[in-house]
Amino acid sequence: MGELGLVEDLAIVTLVAGVAGFLCQRIGLSSIVGFLLAGFVVGPHTPPFALISDEARIETLSQLGLVFLMFSIGLELSLGKLRRMGLGLFLAVALGAALVFNVVRFLCPFLGIGPSQALFVAGMLMASSSATIGKILPESGLVHQRAGNLAMSITVLEDVVAVVVLTFISSVVQIHRGPQAHIGRILGVLLAFVTVIVVLGLLFLPRILRRLDRAGTDLLTITVAGLVLGIAVIAVKIGYSLALGAFLLGAIIAETPQRPAVERAMQGMRDVFIAVFFVSIGMLLDPALLAKNWGLILCLGLAAVGVRTLALSLALMVTGTPDWDAIRTGLMVTPVGEFAFIIAQVGVAAQLLSADYYPITVGIALFTAVVSPVLIQRSAQISNFAVKCEPKFLREFLTLYQQFLASAGEHQQRSRVFGLARQKLPLLLVSIIFVSGILVFAPLVLHEWDTLFPGHAAAWRDYVFWALVGVAMTGPLLGVWRRLAEFVLALMDLVFGAEPWARLPLLEVGLELMSALLVFVWVWLLRPTGENTAYLFGGILAAAVVYILVFGKRLMTVHHQIDSQLAEAVLSAEERRQQSREHWLKEHQEWELTLSEIRVPDSEAWFDKTLGDLALRSRFGCSVIGVERQGYPVPSPGPDTAIFPNDVLLVLGTKAQIQQVRAFFDSSPTNTEKSDILDEIRLESLEVLEQSRLAGNALAELEIPRHTGVQIVGVSRGKHRILFPGPFQVLLPGDWLLVVGTREQIHRFREWIKAGVPGSEEHEWEVGA
């Protein structure tokens, strides 16, 4: 039966997880609590219920579950979602995490926790539990309020922070195993690994997933599962945790069009192994250690609630969030969860934490899970009290500070240099890190290269290897040079475009040579030692000559295709459109044309108008080459094409002509007052009289909406009220009807039911009259 041990353990884990999760959901608790309790009951430390006793197999199950948990977290993220949250929230989460990390490390010595253990404890408390918060906020009805929206966004960003912290802690584990002199190399390898995996994934994964999706769900599931486990193993081989590799793959797939298909295909497997992870954590709990450390658990639980609330509230205020919303949000993100278990697992596995920290971590998570619902429900009252206690000078200072941040943000948005940097720099930085990654990883691959070609000619073997590295990095290196030269030229045109000398061809050649020199210096700083340098640069030079002479413009096309694919993930929608417009006009720069999007203002002046009525061509000399309406293009617009407020016109012309068109549209008055539909619709109550045509008839027979246009939304009969009566509801004398319609429709209904009936009485309830 020894060979069936893992299968038997997996059967027990999944069965008890399902039962315990179901029971916890029935009593209003998170299923994660049920998984932890189930593991605690069947684990090796709770006889006579100890159904699983092999701790090595428990560790294997937890590692397997960890991989799919981190993949799931990465799959729920996307750069588009993160960009929509805004830079201010990014800074707030980063500042709040830094405050939590440092304050907790400061408090740890007072609780008897050593310096190395304090690093892990501080990391455990830096990230909130998205599972717990995602359950409490919808149930409390606060998820749609501003503080609730901020709290949900913070949980997403804190997942990213937690991955960074987890990676940092993995680096600390490596440093603990080796000399500290390698810390710079460890961090450099980390950055290179992440960039190489992300770039290659964004370039190749969409095509692979698209073909697998067409082949069938079964092949998609099998391949993605293999990729998840494979990337996790590669991360471990390089020296980082399984969690980092699985998270990166999930985040990459989140940027692909096949994300929904992957989510559907992997849903069942993810659910199973996420439950396995939490049950395995529960199985590692020792009741004796839980009782021994109850005081420390209570202190760290209180510290987690207090420090996280204060740190995130202060960070949100610093980045411009009003104090009342900031305090409420801080109270909503106190639960500690998934990442605390993962960090504790890494620390115990590296023998930097004792086994006591498993129960300590679970105890902290359970404490915050119990306290958080109370804090969230009373967050408004606590925030009101805190705001009232603020000194007057502090309140005035916060108001002035928020006004200053708003003004600075508007200035930044108007800055043309800032806009150019946002458009050009992201892809340039990604390219630089990608090429750096090739050079950083080359020595790691060299060892495997030597084992493939054993022999006495070690020197020639290394020379060939570095020459091939030079050839491999030439294509991306030319892309770096092209992007750097384009950025420098665009910056010069932006700053000195009005000067005659700024457009001299000789100056452009000089700037391109300067960019090439910068690229050469950068590669020289990362070069290998000894004679290998000559072979590296020889490979680069030979490949560059072949690329330029043989491929020519086709190389530029390939670079543009790579830029487009990376831009789908790195740039915002507006930046992608701007880049696409620039490429569209690139081969016709001598005409000095500009392609701009101009939104038709929300004004009555633009109703019932066509492009011919606007006469933009005859007035300003430019052309409308496209119209976008509610996100959909209107093909081949002509003079008879109607336009409506909020349509987006794609206008082709010179910069001066575009500015004149903008001024033309801005000259019209905009609608500042919106009509309320309740100004037109009334809600009234009318009595059914004995002689009325309504008495004794069913609603279906009367066909009231067809005759009068009103709708019957309620019938009151004595003490009973029938809301939204059905078609077979019979009306009786003395009933009161609740009807809805316009004034004209209700007047028509009165006349229709009172024909020949004298002295009918009415009682009205009006809405929006």
Side-chain angles (χ1 to χ4, degrees):
M1 292 294 291
E3 65 276 7
L4 293 178
L6 183 60
V7 177
E8 180 182 345
D9 291 349
L10 189 58
I12 294 171
V13 166
T14 52
L15 182 60
V16 298
V19 173
F22 173 77
L23 293 176
C24 282
Q25 284 189 345
R26 291 298 299 269
I27 62 177
L29 293 176
S30 170
S31 57
I32 293 176
V33 177
F35 299 155
L36 292 170
L37 293 176
F40 180 74
V41 171
V42 303
H45 302 293
T46 54
F49 304 104
L51 301 179
I52 301 176
S53 56
D54 190 331
E55 294 196 7
R57 287 205 296 264
I58 294 174
E59 185 68 24
T60 301
L61 291 174
S62 69
Q63 294 288 341
L64 196 57
L66 172 62
V67 169
F68 286 95
L69 172 63
M70 294 304 299
F71 173 72
S72 176
I73 292 172
L75 196 60
E76 292 173 0
L77 295 177
S78 69
L79 286 177
K81 182 189 294 185
L82 297 179
R83 292 180 72 101
R84 287 193 295 270
M85 294 177 185
L87 179 61
L89 196 58
F90 269 94
L91 295 177
V93 172
L95 177 59
L99 288 172
V100 171
F101 185 77
N102 288 284
V103 171
V104 172
R105 287 190 68 188
F106 172 78
L107 294 176
C108 280
F110 298 100
L111 300 176
I113 301 174
S116 58
Q117 290 81 13
L119 187 69
F120 287 86
V121 172
M124 293 175 195
L125 305 188
M126 285 181 65
S128 57
S129 171
S130 54
T132 304
I133 296 173
K135 176 178 175 59
I136 296 174
L137 286 180
E139 291 178 352
S140 62
L142 301 175
V143 71
H144 298 297
Q145 297 184 12
R146 174 170 169 76
N149 280 324
L150 285 173
M152 293 301 296
S153 299
I154 286 173
T155 60
V156 173
L157 292 177
E158 283 191 330
D159 285 345
V160 179
V161 171
V163 171
V164 174
V165 172
L166 180 62
T167 306
F168 170 72
I169 287 177
S170 300
S171 302
V172 171
V173 171
Q174 290 190 59
I175 295 169
H176 178 73
R177 294 170 179 169
Q180 292 192 3
H182 293 302
I183 182 171
R185 181 175 181 79
I186 289 171
L187 296 178
V189 171
L190 166 64
L191 183 61
F193 170 71
V194 171
T195 305
V196 170
I197 292 296
V198 169
V199 171
L200 293 179
L202 290 175
L203 291 178
F204 297 109
L205 259 183
R207 300 175 185 176
I208 297 172
L209 294 177
R210 183 166 56 248
R211 294 187 178 183
L212 289 171
D213 189 24
R214 293 172 182 169
T217 304
D218 52 347
L219 294 179
L220 182 63
T221 305
I222 294 168
T223 306
V224 171
L227 288 173
V228 172
L229 297 171
I231 296 295
V233 170
I234 291 173
V236 173
K237 294 285 187 182
I238 294 175
Y240 296 98
S241 68
L242 291 166
L244 176 62
F247 174 83
L248 284 177
L249 185 66
I252 293 168
I253 293 178
E255 298 299 327
T256 65
Q258 289 73 35
R259 173 186 176 177
V262 173
E263 285 183 326
R264 289 192 300 269
M266 298 295 294
Q267 184 64 51
M269 184 177 292
R270 285 163 50 201
D271 291 343
V272 169
F273 284 105
I274 289 173
V276 166
F277 172 76
F278 287 108
V279 173
S280 65
I281 292 295
M283 286 191 290
L284 295 173
L285 292 180
D286 188 340
L289 296 178
L290 198 62
K292 170 187 170 184
N293 296 290
W294 71 269
L296 183 59
I297 292 172
L298 180 61
C299 291
L300 288 176
L302 292 172
V305 172
V307 173
R308 285 189 56 78
T309 300
L310 293 175
L312 285 165
S313 299
L314 179 61
L316 287 169
M317 291 183 198
V318 168
T319 53
T321 303
D323 48 2
W324 191 79
D325 286 325
I327 296 171
R328 283 198 77 187
T329 305
L331 291 166
M332 292 179 180
V333 291
T334 52
V336 175
E338 305 87 73
F339 278 101
F341 305 142
I342 298 170
I343 292 173
Q345 186 185 58
V346 171
V348 173
Q351 297 181 348
L352 293 176
L353 293 178
S354 67
D356 292 23
Y357 280 89
Y358 274 129
I360 290 173
T361 307
V362 176
I364 295 170
L366 292 176
F367 176 85
T368 56
V370 171
V371 172
S372 295
V374 179
L375 292 177
I376 291 174
Q377 291 291 349
R378 299 183 179 275
S379 60
Q381 295 91 320
I382 298 173
S383 300
N384 285 331
F385 177 76
V387 171
K388 288 179 182 178
C389 293
E390 286 180 358
K392 183 179 179 181
F393 77 88
L394 179 60
R395 192 177 303 115
E396 292 175 351
F397 170 77
L398 289 175
T399 302
L400 292 174
Y401 179 69
Q402 290 163 12
Q403 292 174 354
F404 165 75
L405 288 180
S407 174
E410 292 176 1
H411 175 73
Q412 186 186 61
Q413 291 296 328
R414 291 194 298 266
S415 172
R416 293 185 297 168
V417 176
F418 177 77
L420 177 66
R422 286 188 60 186
Q423 178 189 349
K424 299 288 187 181
L425 285 183
L427 287 176
L428 176 60
L429 292 175
V430 169
S431 302
I432 290 173
I433 298 173
F434 178 75
V435 177
S436 301
I438 295 176
L439 287 173
V440 169
F441 278 118
L444 302 177
V445 181
L446 179 59
H447 175 71
E448 301 296 331
W449 173 270
D450 291 340
T451 59
L452 290 175
F453 302 99
H456 60 279
W460 285 105
R461 190 174 54 204
D462 291 351
Y463 297 159
V464 172
F465 172 80
W466 285 108
L468 291 176
V469 170
V471 172
M473 63 184 291
T474 302
L477 197 62
L478 289 174
V480 171
W481 171 61
R482 182 181 62 82
R483 295 184 187 101
L484 180 61
E486 286 181 354
F487 175 70
V488 173
L489 289 171
L491 188 61
M492 286 289 296
D493 183 62
L494 189 63
V495 178
F496 303 107
E499 301 293 338
W501 52 266
R503 297 183 180 274
L504 293 176
L506 185 62
L507 178 63
E508 293 185 4
V509 173
L511 291 175
E512 290 178 351
L513 291 175
M514 185 189 71
S515 301
L517 179 61
L518 291 175
V519 172
F520 173 80
V521 172
W522 158 58
V523 176
W524 179 267
L525 294 174
L526 296 175
R527 74 193 190 283
T529 58
E531 298 179 357
N532 296 327
T533 301
Y535 292 91
L536 174 69
F537 280 97
I540 293 174
L541 182 61
V545 171
V546 173
Y547 281 147
I548 294 173
L549 295 179
V550 176
F551 297 104
K553 286 191 175 182
R554 282 183 291 177
L555 182 63
M556 301 289 292
T557 303
V558 171
H559 281 162
H560 177 69
Q561 291 175 349
I562 293 174
D563 285 354
S564 300
Q565 293 183 47
L566 293 178
E568 290 294 323
V570 176
L571 301 180
S572 66
E574 173 60 28
E575 291 163 347
R576 290 198 298 268
R577 287 198 297 271
Q578 178 66 25
Q579 188 180 66
S580 177
R581 292 196 292 265
E582 288 184 358
H583 180 73
W584 191 71
L585 291 169
K586 189 171 183 179
E587 296 185 0
H588 307 282
Q589 293 179 354
E590 67 275 9
W591 294 90
E592 297 184 352
L593 291 172
T594 300
L595 195 60
S596 296
E597 294 179 354
I598 299 178
R599 185 175 296 276
V600 178
D602 185 10
S603 171
E604 295 177 356
W606 310 111
F607 277 109
D608 197 25
K609 296 286 186 181
T610 65
L611 290 178
D613 296 332
L614 297 182
L616 299 182
R617 181 72 172 267
S618 59
R619 289 184 181 184
F620 309 110
C622 53
S623 297
V624 177
I625 63 172
V627 178
E628 182 182 294
R629 181 168 300 144
Q630 297 181 354
Y632 295 93
V634 177
S636 303
D640 297 329
T641 301
I643 66 166
F644 298 90
N646 293 318
D647 281 357
V648 177
L649 307 182
L650 193 60
V651 183
L652 180 66
T654 65
K655 289 183 179 179
Q657 292 169 344
I658 298 295
Q659 291 174 356
Q660 291 176 343
V661 175
R662 291 188 188 278
F664 169 68
F665 281 109
D666 292 341
S667 64
S668 65
T670 57
N671 288 342
T672 57
E673 296 183 1
K674 302 291 184 180
S675 60
D676 193 338
I677 193 171
L678 294 181
D679 292 338
E680 305 294 330
I681 300 176
R682 296 164 60 87
L683 188 66
E684 299 187 6
S685 184
L686 303 174
E687 185 181 13
V688 178
L689 301 179
E690 187 173 355
Q691 299 88 351
S692 169
R693 69 172 66 188
L694 301 178
N697 293 316
L699 291 175
E701 298 172 348
L702 294 170
E703 297 183 315
I704 294 173
R706 187 172 69 86
H707 290 295
T708 66
V710 303
Q711 298 183 54
I712 309 297
V713 297
V715 177
S716 176
R717 182 173 298 161
K719 295 183 179 180
H720 300 285
R721 288 183 174 83
I722 305 170
L723 189 62
F724 301 113
F728 302 108
Q729 179 65 49
V730 177
L731 304 181
L732 302 177
D735 288 351
W736 286 85
L737 306 182
L738 191 63
V739 300
V740 62
T742 64
R743 292 175 183 271
E744 181 181 349
Q745 290 170 341
I746 292 177
H747 176 73
R748 190 184 310 131
F749 180 61
R750 286 196 187 116
E751 299 299 320
W752 186 70
I753 64 175
K754 293 193 304 183
V757 181
S760 62
E761 296 180 357
E762 299 176 4
H763 175 69
E764 294 187 1
W765 297 327
E766 299 186 6
V767 175

